[in-house]
Amino acid sequence: MTNTNDFRRYSYLTDIETANAVNAFSLTRSSAAPKYEPEPTGVRKKKPLRVKSTNEALKSREELLAEQRRAARQVISVLIILGLAVSMFFGMLFTYVKKNEYTREIAALKTELSREINQNICTNAELDALVSFEQIEDYAENKLGMVKLQSKQIRYIDVEEYKQQREAAQEQQP
């Protein structure tokens, strides 16, 4: 397998473009090992460590007390924020628990409602199957002792004649 970025196999002494490409060649992209350059023995690259002190004067008692008060205020504010965060976390957990409880209750009530609707449908179907004209007639005759009307028992009333009789009766009364 050959590397397309490997310029070593090309002749670049005669071609100017290739010579410029070789000069721009990045060693980090090459598969060739970088050239080893030994360090000079007498020269140190790192600067010597120095201790730098910014606080040359001691702080006064008032400055120390002010710094303690400032630190105490920061601690109190951090504790308050932490307390609010913890209370919000537990409040969120509580609402999730309540939501789950209500969801379960709703599911149980929906199941019970569908069961009752099915029971109502079955009961109405049974009622429709039980009630027929013959069964009502049989119940009325045998259980209640009722009899069917015969044609001679039926009387028709003329409403107009009844109204006239009633008006005449009311006029005769003082």
Side-chain angles (χ1 to χ4, degrees), residues 60-76:
S60 67
R61 182 171 177 78
E62 291 81 23
E63 289 174 336
L64 289 174
L65 289 174
E67 192 174 319
Q68 284 178 350
R69 281 190 225 113
R70 198 173 329 117
R73 276 188 250 128
Q74 286 178 347
V75 167
I76 290 172

Side-chain angles (χ1 to χ4, degrees), residues 120-133:
N120 185 23
I121 291 170
C122 290
T123 305
N124 284 337
E126 288 176 10
L127 182 64
D128 290 342
L130 291 177
V131 177
S132 67
F133 184 73

Side-chain angles (χ1 to χ4, degrees), residues 43-106:
V43 180
R44 289 182 62 178
K45 287 188 176 181
K46 294 184 180 179
K47 292 182 180 179
L49 296 176
R50 293 184 310 174
V51 176
K52 191 175 185 181
S53 176
T54 57
N55 190 7
E56 295 173 2
L58 295 176
K59 293 183 180 179
S60 67
R61 182 171 177 78
E62 291 81 23
E63 289 174 336
L64 289 174
L65 289 174
E67 192 174 319
Q68 284 178 350
R69 281 190 225 113
R70 198 173 329 117
R73 276 188 250 128
Q74 286 178 347
V75 167
I76 290 172
S77 65
V78 166
L79 288 176
I80 289 172
I81 291 171
L82 184 64
L84 286 173
V86 167
S87 64
M88 288 173 59
F89 177 72
F90 282 116
M92 185 178 62
L93 286 178
F94 179 74
T95 56
Y96 282 142
V97 167
K98 280 297 186 185
K99 182 180 141 192
N100 284 341
E101 287 178 8
Y102 292 146
T103 303
R104 279 193 221 110
E105 285 181 27
I106 288 171

